[in-house]
């Protein structure tokens, strides 16, 4: 019988789930975990270069079918439901995002333990992908943080628009969230555009910098939100800025995010490396977007993902081989060039195709080298803080509070009180 730790039931299952499930294979042909299947399935919301899949087929004789999802949230729902149903509807290989990694690994026996691959990844990525001493996920990418900005809006406001000048404008190497928001207030006085697309994404980045935002690392227990001074301090800082109008209130994932780019509604976006391609897609046709070479409070990491093999699969050995193939340094370079995902693999980070390739959308900047420098300067913060099974759910409650401020439905004090009340109603700290 399955047992689970006390966790928030953030399980709003959309009616479309059944349709999504119908698009997922049950794991291929008959045979044990060690037999060679004709086909493997991989669930992902990230585009995989077709030539990679063709190369795997040429080398192994195994075809790969991609079960593609519109976003990570959809992939998370299907994976959560499949794990709760003894593997029903799961693919042979799943991409798992860092923010919901701990929840999915609540029962480690649901996942195949992967063999170690020496010296492939940065050490902390291997640690993140392990449960105890067992590796459960092979790292694909990491999300070193930067700030993308619209130099056209900055120039129109009479403020520094070149990358060096903008970096100094937000505080330079000593930038803090306070200096970043103060720069936003100055920009807002000179422009009709907002400073940032949404302060909800900024507070998410700031929360990721905390060593233990919502749970005790020793016990995994949730911390009372009403007594969480670090998070309340961040909430007040970003909430006050939202009340002052520095935010457009249209964060990534919002239906109007793409249109907001086209209308030049904001000057900055918190931009993990994996988001550079998303911004380029949504701001297609616009010129002037650049990447700053500094990040508030020393930098950090947002997201990143792992390939993991459900133990319920019928072809787990072949799926492990595919996970190894898709996380090789060569595959990581291909992923970077196609999608902008920054490699977690050491050799890929040093590959000139990553570090020296000019990004035409960002004015020819060598974004790979910029993100590599930001990741290095972030130090231990690059690994992110502790994330227990309730991290993602509690973080959502906090971000929803910031969104209520942005929409004007509550002021900062009321929004914090509402988030605390919602947390208390979950009974996690009774």
């Amino acid at each position: 019988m399955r047992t689970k730790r006390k966790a928030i039931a953030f399980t709003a299952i959309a009616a479309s789930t059944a349709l999504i499930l119908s698009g997922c294979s049950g794991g291929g042909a008959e045979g044990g975990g060690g037999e060679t299947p004709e086909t493997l399935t991989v669930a992902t919301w990230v585009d995989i270069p077709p030539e990679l899949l063709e190369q795997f087929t040429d080398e192994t004789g195994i075809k790969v079918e991609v079960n593609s999802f519109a976003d990570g949230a959809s992939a998370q729902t299907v994976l959560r439901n499949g794990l709760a149903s003894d593997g029903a509807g799961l693919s042979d290989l799943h991409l798992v995002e860092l923010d919901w990694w701990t929840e999915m690994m609540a029962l480690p026996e649901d996942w195949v333990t992967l063999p170690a691959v020496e010296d492939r990844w940065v050490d902390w990525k291997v640690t993140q992908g392990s449960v105890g001493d067992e590796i459960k996920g092979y790292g694909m990418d990491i999300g070193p943080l930067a700030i993308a900005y619209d130099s056209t809006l900055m120039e129109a406001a009479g403020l520094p628009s070149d990358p060096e000048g903008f970096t100094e404008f937000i505080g330079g190497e000593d930038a803090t969230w306070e200096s970043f928001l103060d720069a936003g207030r100055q920009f807002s006085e000179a422009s009709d555009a907002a400073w940032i697309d949404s302060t909800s994404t900024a507070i998410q980045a700031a929360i990721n910098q905390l060593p233990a935002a919502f749970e005790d690392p020793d016990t995994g227990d949730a911390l009372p939100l009403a007594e969480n001074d670090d998070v309340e301090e961040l909430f007040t800082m970003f909430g006050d800025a939202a009340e002052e109008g520095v935010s457009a209130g249209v964060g990534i994932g919002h239906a109007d995010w793409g249109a907001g780019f086209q209308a030049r509604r904001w000057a900055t976006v918190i931009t993990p490396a994996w988001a550079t391609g998303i911004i380029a897609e949504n701001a297609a046709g616009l010129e002037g977007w650049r990447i700053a070479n500094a990040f508030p409070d020393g930098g950090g990491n947002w997201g990143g993902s792992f390939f993991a093999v459900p133990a319920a699969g019928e072809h787990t050995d072949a799926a492990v081989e595919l996970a190894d193939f898709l996380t090789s340094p060569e595959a990581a370079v291909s992923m970077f060039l196609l999608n902008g995902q920054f490699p977690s693999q050491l050799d890929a980070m040093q590959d000139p195709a990553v570090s020296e390739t000019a990004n035409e959308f960002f004015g020819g900047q060598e974004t790979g080298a910029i993100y590599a420098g930001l990741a290095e300067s972030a130090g231990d913060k690059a690994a992110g803080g502790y994330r227990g099974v309730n991290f993602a759910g509690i973080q959502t409650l906090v971000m929803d509070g910031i969104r209520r401020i942005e929409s004007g439905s509550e002021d900062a004090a009321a929004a914090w009180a509402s988030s605390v009340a919602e947390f208390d109603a979950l009974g996690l700290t009774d």
Side-chain angles (χ1 to χ4, degrees):
M1 180 178 180
R2 287 170 176 269
T3 59
K4 287 188 179 296
R5 296 176 58 186
K6 195 174 186 181
I8 298 175
F10 293 102
T11 55
I13 303 173
S16 61
T17 297
L19 294 176
I20 296 172
L21 282 168
S22 68
C24 299
S25 165
E30 294 290 325
E35 296 184 6
T36 301
E38 293 183 359
T39 303
L40 287 171
T41 54
V42 54
T44 174
W45 64 94
V46 171
D47 292 335
I48 300 176
E51 59 271 21
L52 271 184
L53 303 180
E54 293 168 2
Q55 182 183 346
F56 182 79
T57 300
D58 290 343
E59 293 179 2
T60 65
I62 303 172
K63 296 180 180 178
V64 181
E65 293 181 356
V66 177
N67 291 322
S68 183
F69 295 89
D71 50 43
S74 302
Q76 179 188 15
T77 298
V78 169
L79 183 52
R80 179 189 288 133
N81 293 345
L83 292 174
S85 305
D86 293 324
L90 294 183
S91 299
D92 294 301
L93 182 65
H94 277 258
L95 190 64
V96 184
E97 214 279 329
L98 176 63
D99 278 350
W100 32 284
W101 170 262
T102 305
E103 178 194 345
M104 297 304 150
M105 296 295 145
L107 294 176
E109 62 270 26
D110 282 346
W111 299 92
V112 172
T113 297
L114 307 176
V117 182
E118 298 297 329
D119 300 325
R120 175 175 290 184
W121 297 277
V122 292
D123 290 344
W124 57 265
K125 187 68 175 179
V126 178
T127 301
Q128 284 182 336
S130 301
V131 180
D133 295 331
E134 297 183 348
I135 298 173
K136 295 295 185 179
Y138 283 160
M140 188 183 78
D141 67 319
I142 57 177
L145 287 164
I147 293 172
Y149 72 96
D150 187 338
S151 65
T152 302
L153 285 178
M154 293 297 296
E155 185 174 2
L159 296 169
S161 58
D162 63 281
E164 293 76 16
F166 178 86
T167 296
E168 289 303 315
F169 178 62
I170 63 171
E173 294 181 355
D174 299 322
T176 64
W177 286 112
E178 288 87 351
S179 67
F180 172 74
L181 293 173
D182 285 344
R185 293 181 178 95
Q186 187 175 343
F187 172 83
S188 297
E189 291 177 357
S191 175
D192 292 333
W195 173 240
I196 189 170
D197 59 340
S198 176
T199 43
S200 68
T201 54
I203 194 174
Q204 182 173 359
I207 287 172
N208 287 341
Q209 292 173 315
L210 297 176
F214 300 121
E215 297 143 306
D216 186 331
D218 293 330
T219 65
D221 294 338
L223 303 172
L225 191 59
E227 302 171 14
N228 195 324
D229 295 338
D230 290 339
V231 173
E232 184 177 5
E233 182 178 344
L234 291 176
F235 190 96
T236 300
M237 178 174 60
F238 288 107
D240 288 347
E243 282 190 11
E244 295 171 44
V246 304
S247 171
V250 185
I252 185 171
H254 192 288
D256 295 332
W257 200 59
F261 273 103
Q262 295 299 323
R264 294 191 185 275
R265 289 185 58 191
W266 50 76
T268 68
V269 177
I270 304 301
T271 309
W274 48 262
T276 55
I278 299 173
I279 290 176
E281 180 179 346
N282 282 274
L286 300 180
E287 294 184 355
W289 280 90
R290 301 288 185 269
I291 300 289
N293 196 17
F295 194 81
D297 287 354
N301 182 76
W302 180 349
S305 54
F306 306 85
F307 276 114
V309 179
E314 297 181 5
H315 308 295
T316 54
D317 287 355
V320 170
E321 186 176 0
L322 178 58
D324 178 55
F325 178 84
L326 291 178
T327 59
S328 69
E330 294 78 12
V333 172
S334 296
M335 292 280 195
F336 173 82
L337 294 175
L338 179 65
N339 302 315
Q341 273 92 11
F342 191 76
S344 57
Q345 296 84 345
L346 294 165
D347 287 347
M349 290 181 187
Q350 303 301 321
D351 193 299
V354 172
S355 62
E356 298 178 7
T357 296
N359 188 316
E360 296 303 324
F361 176 79
F362 289 102
Q365 288 181 286
E366 294 177 352
T367 54
I370 293 173
Y371 276 105
L374 290 169
E376 182 178 0
S377 63
D380 292 342
K381 287 185 177 179
Y386 175 74
R387 295 162 182 264
V389 296
N390 290 311
F391 178 93
I394 301 171
Q395 180 174 253
T396 298
L397 293 182
V398 173
M399 293 174 65
D400 285 347
I402 294 293
R403 294 187 184 101
R404 288 192 294 274
I405 302 169
E406 292 178 330
S407 70
S409 61
E410 292 182 328
D411 62 22
W416 174 252
S418 296
S419 293
V420 169
E422 291 171 356
F423 172 87
D424 290 343
L426 296 170
L428 292 174
T429 55
D430 292 342

